[in-house]
Amino acid sequence: MARLGMLIDLSACVGCAACAVACKMENQVPAGASRLWIREREVGTFPNLTVEFRPEQCNHCENPPCVPVCPTGASYQTPDGLVQVDYNKCIACGACVAACPYDARYINKKGYADKCTFCSHRIAKGQQPACVETCPTYARVFGDLDDPNSEISKTLKAAGRQDVLRPEMGTRPKVIYLNAPSKKGLTQEVTRHD
Amino acid sequence: MTEFYSLPNTGEFWHWTNALHFVLVGLAGGMALLAAILTLRQHPERNRYLWLAALLIVLDLFVLWAESPARWRFSHVWLFLGLHPSAPIWWGAWGLALSLVATLAVVLKPWVGFLRRIPEQLPGLLLLLGSLVALAYPGFALAVNTTRPLWNSMMLFLFPITALLMVLAVALLLGSEWARRWESWAAVLSLGLLVAYPFTLPEAARTHLLHEGLLGYALAGLLIAVAALLFRNPRWAAALGLAGAVGLRWVLVMVGQFQSPGL
Amino acid sequence: MKLERRSFLKLSAAAVGAVSVGGAATLVSRAKAAPWYTQEVRQVFSICENCFWRCGIKASVVGNRVYKVEGYKENPKSRGMLCPRGQGAPAQTYDPDRLKKPLIRVEGSERGAGQYREATWEEALDYIAKKMLSLKEQYGPESIAFFGHGTGDGWFVDFLPAAWGSPNAAKPSVSLCTAPREVAAQYTFGRAIGGHEPIDWPNTRYIVLIGHHIGEDTHNTQLQDWSQARKNGAKLVVVDPRFSTAAAKADRWLPIKPGTDTALLLAWMHVLIAENLYDKAYVQKYTVGFEQLAAHVKPYTPEWAEKETEIPAQVIREVAREMARHKPKAVLPPTRHTVWYGNDTQRMRALYILNALLGNYGREGGFYIAMPPYLEKYPTPPLPLEPNAGGCSGPAKAESEPEGYKPRADKGKFLAKSTAIQELIEPMITGKPYPIQGLFAYGINLFHAIPNVPRTKEALSKLDLYVAIDVLPQEHVMWADVILPEATYLERYDDLVAVAHKTPFIELRMPAHEPLWDTKPGWWIAKELGKRLGLEQFFPWKDIEEYLDTRLQSVGLDLETMKQMGTMVQNGKPWLTDWEKENTLPFGTLSGKIELYSEALAKAGFDPLPVYEPPEAAPEGFYRLLYGRSPVHTFARTQNNPVLMEMEPSNSVWLNAEEAQRLGFKAGDYAYLVNQDGVREGPVRVKATQRIRKDAVYITHGFGHKAKGMSLANGRGASDSYLQTRYTLDPISGGAGLRNNYVKLEKAPAPRLKSVVQILKERRA
């Protein structure tokens, strides 16, 4: 069985949001909800600056906190390691939304929880997820992490710095970020008290 | 400075209807516990509380149904029959269902013949079990979300204790004198937890609580404090304790939907 | 788990059975309607219209709706990828705010009051034709001006005015955008740069971007190529007063003082020549005027430039040496929008000359030589005038008008042959050199493109006829006498798009479905109007299919075949070596070589070598107003697109964090921008940032709409265009330098507006 994952090269990403719009169109995501968004953050002081453009979406965690809390089995992991929602089993209780450390899920008004599926309907047809296919900066690679010959495995092997979001949560995300622009790794929100 | 193209789903996912559920389920579970104990002790007031418990459970289930965007799709009802022990909501559903069945088994005796053949101790024990699950489940449903720092393991104590405070207060208001001592204890315990809780929080979470929920939290604390200390007039104490517990649960559900920093 | 569940279900079979008698119907009820991609999807080739880049796309259509567009591999523009604007573009077609029927301004109502009555196409076109003919009678055909932008503008800005006989046809993409770089390229290389900047990105090793916002302007192919270049290890230097997205990816960022770019370029030339680092063989073989150039740049030392640019001399030297080390695979690509300070043709000349010193024009890793594809016109009788709205403009030469036709109304104000759109506004007010009494506006946004909005409004109020052809009720559209609602790009054919490229190609736009509402494609409107104007002989085609089929036959194709291909690619001649094989050179200058020293400019009375002019200083207390692009928006045309507006609902004003603190602005505060002439824009959110110098502020272009009929766009953010009440005319190209406008910030309340998401949710409900 495959172990599907995605990597995003932050040194390539310009935060143009082509992926986010492609996702919105492909999946007809309702207004006010997102399956994919860009976080843009500056680091440093003039003129020694970097900017991190960071697309975020469901991480399809290997240890997904959203799955065990589901009371009906609607949230589940596929044999390929994707975290999915069976819309017909979902009661929209919001337990999975609460459990997700990445704000990746939302409740669709039609009565189910929803989120990035890695475009499973496209994968099934042998296509790439919409965000990967459209990316004009070649920042995204999607594929089987278990196949040593896949582009994603080869890229990861050759890569320098690798990061995931919130590693301390123990979720083991399968969206992997390469080349974070800051030497300290992925940026984090500085909480302000103003 | 952080900017976004499109936004992560950081908005409120549980709304006032859900907060209402967290109050009702406390009342239902707590009332079921009182009813179970009274039934097991063959207390003369037990029927009143069994009825109350049944009513609150039904009301809570109705609220859950009415607020669900999936309410016209019943295909999921049987899905609870699957085994999902890692999901507190699954336990909660079973706890409430069991409690409802057990209460009905006792209160419907006068009308349903075969129920009379069952000794009251059996549904009493089942009700005890169900009510304990129903009492415990809200705290677990929140505490299980390790990513929401305001919902820490204190929830496991705060929710059952405040539930007991609520139902004991109701019992007092209904004139059950046996509740008086227990109500005071529940109030004192609730107050203790309420005072201790902010100190168990990581700084970012505490700051968020004080920013977003200070008024509600302080008001709930004040009400419970007065309830815990105003022994002279138990009715007043009960009313204030009830209000404080409702407020506290409400604040914790609404303000606690705070994502931990780190993104 | 599965087994357990099954046994559990068996146990409860009785209970389930009992309940399901009542619930049988709902048991099968599904949560989700079948998504579009599970239905029967047609794929239709087209060309994106959410910017001018014109990527080839494949539209996925179900019934009368396009759900998704994608690039396709065979198209040299998209190559299977699309930018956010392209991805979101279909949402415009289904925008409920669209213009749906022809409208005629209520008789007696004032222009700009927005009072209209619905009309049939017959009535609207008859009305226009009658007015046009009477204007022609009274003032001559040149009294009607034709402005336009977009793929369909060929019908209304090139073809119709040439057939009608008016030289006053103009596109904002010339004098408000590319004119200086195109004119400078003609004077230097004798060739156009063209719409698609011909940089050989994949092979380049060293890139210097000057005010070039790759990543924020998301020109699809360019962004792909630039990313590829960086993946291939090319070094990147970004010169910009602002830490742009490109700067964030750069190896070096040079935060230059705004307006001093020419000084930097001259100093770089100085170092290359003084240190003998330029490509001698190339310069000798392909250029003229090196001696004059060497003498000219001698005084422009890095130390001199440091004082002007505030970039350390040492850094200037280092970058020049690094450039030289990578030559000829070091390149300084020209930006698209080059109308900055008014002396812009000279700056662009300096840029090209520097490139020539690096020996990169026509060589791998530098500029490739773009060739247009072979494609013939549809045969018509000769048009009275030559279309000259332009894009690319030739060097000035003696130019005369055909017998009986007047010269352009802007002629004599500057050297270039192409029309400067902003110079045609004045004659509408003054009647000098002759009256312009009629105006067509196709696709162009008059208020968000042409500087000095108050003047434009005055001009509009004086016209005898003003026709707007558009898709949305933009503010300027609601001033027109007649509004013609055009079908969007997904609902119409357009003329073939022929792209000059490394591999020249032709691409097709065909409709994905019938036009919605009572809208019509541009080609139909032009032909119907032509018929009513007595120009029928110039529109001999039966319909667009026949027109396209005829043109395609000139390249051995037909329309049906092209519909299956989308794009037809031809061979180019990208390198000097390709030309030398044929014993020619690509340079169309008088000397036939790259002209470092321009004899033609000297003869016309201009500096034959680029001269630096310091920018004028900002008034006390004001910041220089810089502007640029958002990756998810194009100009002022996407701010009503629900999908793109959800991505970015407003712009914000970038203000240096220290300045923000000094002025008392906290992150998230709002400000009014007030310019040197007292024009106020906003409220707009303040972005207090480290990413900009203290002497300038920056906003993205296109926001600040004041169009009541555009429910998402109206009132959000601030418009840079409204704040550009002044411009500095470039005497060579006719470009309008827009960066000599200044603003100060005043505290403002947060605007009281419904959020975009709120409006969209209400629409759905």
Side-chain angles (χ1 to χ4, degrees), chain A residues 10-11 13 16 24 26 32 40 42 88 122 134 136 138, chain C residues 31 36 68 70 82 87 230-231 249 646 689-691:
Chain A
L10 297 184
S11 69
C13 178
C16 74
K24 197 104 192 168
E26 177 79 32
E40 178 182 329
E42 62 185 71
N88 289 310
R122 292 176 61 100
T134 206
Y138 308 97
Chain C
W36 65 271
K68 182 87 191 299
E70 276 162 15
L82 279 186
Q87 284 286 356
R230 291 182 50 247
K231 285 217 161 163
K249 303 295 173 188
E646 215 189 321
T689 176
Q690 299 288 334
R691 293 175 61 185

PDB file of all heavy atoms in Angstrom, chain A residues 10-11 13 16 24 26 32 40 42 88 122 134 136 138, chain C residues 31 36 68 70 82 87 230-231 249 646 689-691:
ATOM      1  N   LEU A  10       9.402  25.667   0.420  1.00  0.00           N
ATOM      2  CA  LEU A  10       9.138  27.064   0.761  1.00  0.00           C
ATOM      3  C   LEU A  10      10.125  28.018   0.095  1.00  0.00           C
ATOM      4  O   LEU A  10       9.860  29.220   0.006  1.00  0.00           O
ATOM      5  CB  LEU A  10       9.171  27.249   2.280  1.00  0.00           C
ATOM      6  CG  LEU A  10       8.094  26.480   3.048  1.00  0.00           C
ATOM      7  CD1 LEU A  10       8.164  26.813   4.525  1.00  0.00           C
ATOM      8  CD2 LEU A  10       6.708  26.802   2.522  1.00  0.00           C
ATOM      9  N   SER A  11      11.234  27.508  -0.385  1.00  0.00           N
ATOM     10  CA  SER A  11      12.151  28.409  -1.093  1.00  0.00           C
ATOM     11  C   SER A  11      11.613  28.722  -2.488  1.00  0.00           C
ATOM     12  O   SER A  11      11.968  29.727  -3.084  1.00  0.00           O
ATOM     13  CB  SER A  11      13.551  27.797  -1.195  1.00  0.00           C
ATOM     14  OG  SER A  11      13.541  26.687  -2.068  1.00  0.00           O
ATOM     15  N   CYS A  13       8.066  28.659  -3.115  1.00  0.00           N
ATOM     16  CA  CYS A  13       6.711  29.231  -2.993  1.00  0.00           C
ATOM     17  C   CYS A  13       6.766  30.744  -2.875  1.00  0.00           C
ATOM     18  O   CYS A  13       7.520  31.287  -2.074  1.00  0.00           O
ATOM     19  CB  CYS A  13       6.014  28.648  -1.769  1.00  0.00           C
ATOM     20  SG  CYS A  13       4.364  29.335  -1.519  1.00  0.00           S
ATOM     21  N   CYS A  16       1.480  32.877  -4.010  1.00  0.00           N
ATOM     22  CA  CYS A  16       0.570  33.511  -4.967  1.00  0.00           C
ATOM     23  C   CYS A  16      -0.860  33.027  -4.804  1.00  0.00           C
ATOM     24  O   CYS A  16      -1.782  33.630  -5.322  1.00  0.00           O
ATOM     25  CB  CYS A  16       1.044  33.290  -6.402  1.00  0.00           C
ATOM     26  SG  CYS A  16       0.791  31.615  -7.035  1.00  0.00           S
ATOM     27  N   LYS A  24     -10.293  25.828  -4.353  1.00  0.00           N
ATOM     28  CA  LYS A  24     -11.639  26.392  -4.179  1.00  0.00           C
ATOM     29  C   LYS A  24     -12.532  26.036  -5.371  1.00  0.00           C
ATOM     30  O   LYS A  24     -13.698  25.698  -5.204  1.00  0.00           O
ATOM     31  CB  LYS A  24     -11.504  27.909  -4.058  1.00  0.00           C
ATOM     32  CG  LYS A  24     -12.699  28.593  -3.499  1.00  0.00           C
ATOM     33  CD  LYS A  24     -12.483  28.993  -2.052  1.00  0.00           C
ATOM     34  CE  LYS A  24     -13.781  29.420  -1.426  1.00  0.00           C
ATOM     35  NZ  LYS A  24     -13.707  29.554   0.015  1.00  0.00           N
ATOM     36  N   GLU A  26     -11.921  23.577  -7.843  1.00  0.00           N
ATOM     37  CA  GLU A  26     -12.018  22.128  -8.049  1.00  0.00           C
ATOM     38  C   GLU A  26     -13.044  21.514  -7.105  1.00  0.00           C
ATOM     39  O   GLU A  26     -13.864  20.702  -7.507  1.00  0.00           O
ATOM     40  CB  GLU A  26     -10.648  21.490  -7.805  1.00  0.00           C
ATOM     41  CG  GLU A  26     -10.627  19.978  -7.924  1.00  0.00           C
ATOM     42  CD  GLU A  26     -10.593  19.483  -9.363  1.00  0.00           C
ATOM     43  OE1 GLU A  26     -10.008  20.175 -10.206  1.00  0.00           O
ATOM     44  OE2 GLU A  26     -11.164  18.402  -9.634  1.00  0.00           O
ATOM     45  N   GLY A  32     -16.400  31.261   2.914  1.00  0.00           N
ATOM     46  CA  GLY A  32     -16.180  31.289   4.346  1.00  0.00           C
ATOM     47  C   GLY A  32     -15.434  30.078   4.871  1.00  0.00           C
ATOM     48  O   GLY A  32     -15.043  30.041   6.029  1.00  0.00           O
ATOM     49  N   GLU A  40       1.425  34.301   5.375  1.00  0.00           N
ATOM     50  CA  GLU A  40       2.606  35.063   4.955  1.00  0.00           C
ATOM     51  C   GLU A  40       3.124  35.835   6.156  1.00  0.00           C
ATOM     52  O   GLU A  40       2.368  36.563   6.792  1.00  0.00           O
ATOM     53  CB  GLU A  40       2.210  36.024   3.820  1.00  0.00           C
ATOM     54  CG  GLU A  40       3.358  36.893   3.334  1.00  0.00           C
ATOM     55  CD  GLU A  40       2.916  37.871   2.242  1.00  0.00           C
ATOM     56  OE1 GLU A  40       1.993  37.543   1.474  1.00  0.00           O
ATOM     57  OE2 GLU A  40       3.495  38.968   2.188  1.00  0.00           O
ATOM     58  N   GLU A  42       6.592  37.997   7.875  1.00  0.00           N
ATOM     59  CA  GLU A  42       7.940  38.540   7.723  1.00  0.00           C
ATOM     60  C   GLU A  42       8.751  38.283   8.984  1.00  0.00           C
ATOM     61  O   GLU A  42       8.215  38.255  10.086  1.00  0.00           O
ATOM     62  CB  GLU A  42       7.879  40.038   7.403  1.00  0.00           C
ATOM     63  CG  GLU A  42       7.241  40.889   8.476  1.00  0.00           C
ATOM     64  CD  GLU A  42       7.100  42.347   8.045  1.00  0.00           C
ATOM     65  OE1 GLU A  42       6.261  42.630   7.180  1.00  0.00           O
ATOM     66  OE2 GLU A  42       7.828  43.192   8.601  1.00  0.00           O
ATOM     67  N   ASN A  88     -21.667  10.596   4.326  1.00  0.00           N
ATOM     68  CA  ASN A  88     -22.953   9.997   4.681  1.00  0.00           C
ATOM     69  C   ASN A  88     -22.981   9.433   6.098  1.00  0.00           C
ATOM     70  O   ASN A  88     -24.032   9.141   6.623  1.00  0.00           O
ATOM     71  CB  ASN A  88     -23.313   8.914   3.674  1.00  0.00           C
ATOM     72  CG  ASN A  88     -23.680   9.550   2.351  1.00  0.00           C
ATOM     73  OD1 ASN A  88     -24.498  10.466   2.323  1.00  0.00           O
ATOM     74  ND2 ASN A  88     -23.045   9.118   1.284  1.00  0.00           N
ATOM     75  N   ARG A 122      -9.239  13.048  -8.066  1.00  0.00           N
ATOM     76  CA  ARG A 122      -8.251  13.228  -9.141  1.00  0.00           C
ATOM     77  C   ARG A 122      -7.180  12.136  -9.066  1.00  0.00           C
ATOM     78  O   ARG A 122      -6.761  11.609 -10.092  1.00  0.00           O
ATOM     79  CB  ARG A 122      -7.604  14.616  -9.043  1.00  0.00           C
ATOM     80  CG  ARG A 122      -8.556  15.765  -9.356  1.00  0.00           C
ATOM     81  CD  ARG A 122      -7.878  17.118  -9.138  1.00  0.00           C
ATOM     82  NE  ARG A 122      -6.730  17.271 -10.010  1.00  0.00           N
ATOM     83  CZ  ARG A 122      -6.719  17.963 -11.150  1.00  0.00           C
ATOM     84  NH1 ARG A 122      -7.803  18.609 -11.524  1.00  0.00           N
ATOM     85  NH2 ARG A 122      -5.634  18.041 -11.874  1.00  0.00           N
ATOM     86  N   THR A 134      -1.422  22.893 -10.532  1.00  0.00           N
ATOM     87  CA  THR A 134      -1.427  24.278 -11.015  1.00  0.00           C
ATOM     88  C   THR A 134      -0.224  25.080 -10.542  1.00  0.00           C
ATOM     89  O   THR A 134       0.064  26.133 -11.099  1.00  0.00           O
ATOM     90  CB  THR A 134      -2.724  24.995 -10.612  1.00  0.00           C
ATOM     91  OG1 THR A 134      -2.978  26.038 -11.560  1.00  0.00           O
ATOM     92  CG2 THR A 134      -2.638  25.585  -9.212  1.00  0.00           C
ATOM     93  N   PRO A 136       2.577  27.301 -10.160  1.00  0.00           N
ATOM     94  CA  PRO A 136       3.487  27.826 -11.188  1.00  0.00           C
ATOM     95  C   PRO A 136       4.938  27.930 -10.729  1.00  0.00           C
ATOM     96  O   PRO A 136       5.772  28.377 -11.498  1.00  0.00           O
ATOM     97  CB  PRO A 136       2.910  29.212 -11.496  1.00  0.00           C
ATOM     98  CG  PRO A 136       1.883  29.499 -10.480  1.00  0.00           C
ATOM     99  CD  PRO A 136       1.776  28.345  -9.533  1.00  0.00           C
ATOM    100  N   TYR A 138       6.559  25.267  -9.102  1.00  0.00           N
ATOM    101  CA  TYR A 138       7.050  23.900  -8.880  1.00  0.00           C
ATOM    102  C   TYR A 138       7.370  23.671  -7.404  1.00  0.00           C
ATOM    103  O   TYR A 138       8.328  22.996  -7.064  1.00  0.00           O
ATOM    104  CB  TYR A 138       8.307  23.623  -9.710  1.00  0.00           C
ATOM    105  CG  TYR A 138       8.178  23.946 -11.181  1.00  0.00           C
ATOM    106  CD1 TYR A 138       8.640  25.149 -11.697  1.00  0.00           C
ATOM    107  CD2 TYR A 138       7.593  23.030 -12.055  1.00  0.00           C
ATOM    108  CE1 TYR A 138       8.519  25.443 -13.053  1.00  0.00           C
ATOM    109  CE2 TYR A 138       7.476  23.314 -13.401  1.00  0.00           C
ATOM    110  CZ  TYR A 138       7.947  24.519 -13.894  1.00  0.00           C
ATOM    111  OH  TYR A 138       7.834  24.805 -15.225  1.00  0.00           O
TER     112      TYR A 138
ATOM    113  N   ALA C  31     -25.572  12.827   1.876  1.00  0.00           N
ATOM    114  CA  ALA C  31     -25.176  14.129   2.401  1.00  0.00           C
ATOM    115  C   ALA C  31     -24.859  15.091   1.273  1.00  0.00           C
ATOM    116  O   ALA C  31     -25.107  16.276   1.352  1.00  0.00           O
ATOM    117  CB  ALA C  31     -23.949  13.963   3.282  1.00  0.00           C
ATOM    118  N   TRP C  36     -19.480  18.108  -9.461  1.00  0.00           N
ATOM    119  CA  TRP C  36     -19.474  18.351 -10.903  1.00  0.00           C
ATOM    120  C   TRP C  36     -18.637  17.333 -11.656  1.00  0.00           C
ATOM    121  O   TRP C  36     -18.971  16.919 -12.751  1.00  0.00           O
ATOM    122  CB  TRP C  36     -18.993  19.770 -11.208  1.00  0.00           C
ATOM    123  CG  TRP C  36     -17.554  20.030 -10.823  1.00  0.00           C
ATOM    124  CD1 TRP C  36     -17.100  20.478  -9.621  1.00  0.00           C
ATOM    125  CD2 TRP C  36     -16.397  19.833 -11.645  1.00  0.00           C
ATOM    126  NE1 TRP C  36     -15.743  20.570  -9.635  1.00  0.00           N
ATOM    127  CE2 TRP C  36     -15.274  20.189 -10.859  1.00  0.00           C
ATOM    128  CE3 TRP C  36     -16.192  19.406 -12.946  1.00  0.00           C
ATOM    129  CZ2 TRP C  36     -13.976  20.122 -11.353  1.00  0.00           C
ATOM    130  CZ3 TRP C  36     -14.893  19.342 -13.438  1.00  0.00           C
ATOM    131  CH2 TRP C  36     -13.807  19.697 -12.642  1.00  0.00           C
ATOM    132  N   LYS C  68     -14.237  24.478 -13.755  1.00  0.00           N
ATOM    133  CA  LYS C  68     -12.793  24.498 -13.499  1.00  0.00           C
ATOM    134  C   LYS C  68     -12.090  24.812 -14.806  1.00  0.00           C
ATOM    135  O   LYS C  68     -12.540  24.382 -15.871  1.00  0.00           O
ATOM    136  CB  LYS C  68     -12.370  23.108 -12.994  1.00  0.00           C
ATOM    137  CG  LYS C  68     -10.904  22.974 -12.639  1.00  0.00           C
ATOM    138  CD  LYS C  68     -10.640  23.378 -11.205  1.00  0.00           C
ATOM    139  CE  LYS C  68      -9.169  23.512 -10.898  1.00  0.00           C
ATOM    140  NZ  LYS C  68      -8.410  22.298 -11.069  1.00  0.00           N
ATOM    141  N   GLU C  70      -8.024  24.739 -16.445  1.00  0.00           N
ATOM    142  CA  GLU C  70      -6.661  24.298 -16.198  1.00  0.00           C
ATOM    143  C   GLU C  70      -5.804  24.681 -17.387  1.00  0.00           C
ATOM    144  O   GLU C  70      -6.317  24.885 -18.484  1.00  0.00           O
ATOM    145  CB  GLU C  70      -6.628  22.771 -16.019  1.00  0.00           C
ATOM    146  CG  GLU C  70      -6.963  22.339 -14.608  1.00  0.00           C
ATOM    147  CD  GLU C  70      -7.358  20.886 -14.484  1.00  0.00           C
ATOM    148  OE1 GLU C  70      -7.119  20.128 -15.422  1.00  0.00           O
ATOM    149  OE2 GLU C  70      -7.912  20.536 -13.437  1.00  0.00           O
ATOM    150  N   LEU C  82      -1.634  27.160 -14.025  1.00  0.00           N
ATOM    151  CA  LEU C  82      -2.307  28.455 -14.071  1.00  0.00           C
ATOM    152  C   LEU C  82      -2.046  29.211 -12.781  1.00  0.00           C
ATOM    153  O   LEU C  82      -1.812  28.620 -11.729  1.00  0.00           O
ATOM    154  CB  LEU C  82      -3.811  28.290 -14.241  1.00  0.00           C
ATOM    155  CG  LEU C  82      -4.365  28.042 -15.631  1.00  0.00           C
ATOM    156  CD1 LEU C  82      -5.883  28.061 -15.564  1.00  0.00           C
ATOM    157  CD2 LEU C  82      -3.886  29.082 -16.633  1.00  0.00           C
ATOM    158  N   GLN C  87      -7.148  30.571 -12.400  1.00  0.00           N
ATOM    159  CA  GLN C  87      -7.954  29.538 -11.757  1.00  0.00           C
ATOM    160  C   GLN C  87      -9.324  30.081 -11.355  1.00  0.00           C
ATOM    161  O   GLN C  87     -10.329  29.390 -11.464  1.00  0.00           O
ATOM    162  CB  GLN C  87      -7.225  29.016 -10.511  1.00  0.00           C
ATOM    163  CG  GLN C  87      -6.074  28.082 -10.804  1.00  0.00           C
ATOM    164  CD  GLN C  87      -6.542  26.700 -11.235  1.00  0.00           C
ATOM    165  OE1 GLN C  87      -7.736  26.407 -11.251  1.00  0.00           O
ATOM    166  NE2 GLN C  87      -5.606  25.855 -11.612  1.00  0.00           N
ATOM    167  N   ARG C 230      15.756  29.617 -10.615  1.00  0.00           N
ATOM    168  CA  ARG C 230      16.250  29.574  -9.234  1.00  0.00           C
ATOM    169  C   ARG C 230      16.515  28.146  -8.805  1.00  0.00           C
ATOM    170  O   ARG C 230      17.472  27.871  -8.091  1.00  0.00           O
ATOM    171  CB  ARG C 230      15.252  30.272  -8.313  1.00  0.00           C
ATOM    172  CG  ARG C 230      15.214  31.785  -8.571  1.00  0.00           C
ATOM    173  CD  ARG C 230      14.263  32.505  -7.641  1.00  0.00           C
ATOM    174  NE  ARG C 230      14.521  32.124  -6.270  1.00  0.00           N
ATOM    175  CZ  ARG C 230      13.673  31.427  -5.511  1.00  0.00           C
ATOM    176  NH1 ARG C 230      12.506  31.061  -5.994  1.00  0.00           N
ATOM    177  NH2 ARG C 230      13.992  31.114  -4.290  1.00  0.00           N
ATOM    178  N   LYS C 231      15.636  27.231  -9.239  1.00  0.00           N
ATOM    179  CA  LYS C 231      15.902  25.817  -8.906  1.00  0.00           C
ATOM    180  C   LYS C 231      17.202  25.357  -9.547  1.00  0.00           C
ATOM    181  O   LYS C 231      17.909  24.523  -8.987  1.00  0.00           O
ATOM    182  CB  LYS C 231      14.739  24.939  -9.381  1.00  0.00           C
ATOM    183  CG  LYS C 231      13.531  25.073  -8.473  1.00  0.00           C
ATOM    184  CD  LYS C 231      12.762  23.787  -8.269  1.00  0.00           C
ATOM    185  CE  LYS C 231      11.908  23.953  -7.025  1.00  0.00           C
ATOM    186  NZ  LYS C 231      10.852  23.036  -6.841  1.00  0.00           N
ATOM    187  N   LYS C 249      13.052  36.240  -2.144  1.00  0.00           N
ATOM    188  CA  LYS C 249      13.699  35.065  -2.703  1.00  0.00           C
ATOM    189  C   LYS C 249      15.135  35.372  -3.149  1.00  0.00           C
ATOM    190  O   LYS C 249      15.804  34.522  -3.720  1.00  0.00           O
ATOM    191  CB  LYS C 249      12.904  34.558  -3.910  1.00  0.00           C
ATOM    192  CG  LYS C 249      11.454  34.226  -3.607  1.00  0.00           C
ATOM    193  CD  LYS C 249      11.359  33.072  -2.643  1.00  0.00           C
ATOM    194  CE  LYS C 249       9.937  32.838  -2.183  1.00  0.00           C
ATOM    195  NZ  LYS C 249       9.872  31.840  -1.104  1.00  0.00           N
ATOM    196  N   GLU C 646     -12.496  36.489  -1.977  1.00  0.00           N
ATOM    197  CA  GLU C 646     -12.381  35.773  -0.719  1.00  0.00           C
ATOM    198  C   GLU C 646     -10.906  35.564  -0.364  1.00  0.00           C
ATOM    199  O   GLU C 646     -10.534  35.524   0.810  1.00  0.00           O
ATOM    200  CB  GLU C 646     -13.114  34.435  -0.810  1.00  0.00           C
ATOM    201  CG  GLU C 646     -13.751  34.068   0.507  1.00  0.00           C
ATOM    202  CD  GLU C 646     -14.285  32.662   0.520  1.00  0.00           C
ATOM    203  OE1 GLU C 646     -14.844  32.209  -0.499  1.00  0.00           O
ATOM    204  OE2 GLU C 646     -14.137  32.019   1.555  1.00  0.00           O
ATOM    205  N   THR C 689       5.182  47.587   8.507  1.00  0.00           N
ATOM    206  CA  THR C 689       6.065  46.509   8.079  1.00  0.00           C
ATOM    207  C   THR C 689       7.507  46.960   8.006  1.00  0.00           C
ATOM    208  O   THR C 689       7.804  48.147   7.816  1.00  0.00           O
ATOM    209  CB  THR C 689       5.598  45.972   6.701  1.00  0.00           C
ATOM    210  OG1 THR C 689       6.519  44.996   6.249  1.00  0.00           O
ATOM    211  CG2 THR C 689       5.509  47.084   5.665  1.00  0.00           C
ATOM    212  N   GLN C 690       8.384  45.987   8.158  1.00  0.00           N
ATOM    213  CA  GLN C 690       9.805  46.247   7.956  1.00  0.00           C
ATOM    214  C   GLN C 690      10.149  46.262   6.477  1.00  0.00           C
ATOM    215  O   GLN C 690      11.261  46.588   6.100  1.00  0.00           O
ATOM    216  CB  GLN C 690      10.631  45.134   8.622  1.00  0.00           C
ATOM    217  CG  GLN C 690      10.428  45.010  10.121  1.00  0.00           C
ATOM    218  CD  GLN C 690      11.064  46.156  10.877  1.00  0.00           C
ATOM    219  OE1 GLN C 690      12.012  46.770  10.406  1.00  0.00           O
ATOM    220  NE2 GLN C 690      10.526  46.464  12.038  1.00  0.00           N
ATOM    221  N   ARG C 691       9.187  45.875   5.653  1.00  0.00           N
ATOM    222  CA  ARG C 691       9.499  45.538   4.272  1.00  0.00           C
ATOM    223  C   ARG C 691       9.504  46.731   3.317  1.00  0.00           C
ATOM    224  O   ARG C 691       9.436  46.541   2.112  1.00  0.00           O
ATOM    225  CB  ARG C 691       8.512  44.475   3.769  1.00  0.00           C
ATOM    226  CG  ARG C 691       8.670  43.141   4.470  1.00  0.00           C
ATOM    227  CD  ARG C 691       7.621  42.149   4.053  1.00  0.00           C
ATOM    228  NE  ARG C 691       7.677  41.846   2.642  1.00  0.00           N
ATOM    229  CZ  ARG C 691       6.802  41.067   2.018  1.00  0.00           C
ATOM    230  NH1 ARG C 691       5.799  40.524   2.693  1.00  0.00           N
ATOM    231  NH2 ARG C 691       6.903  40.838   0.723  1.00  0.00           N
TER     232      ARG C 691
END
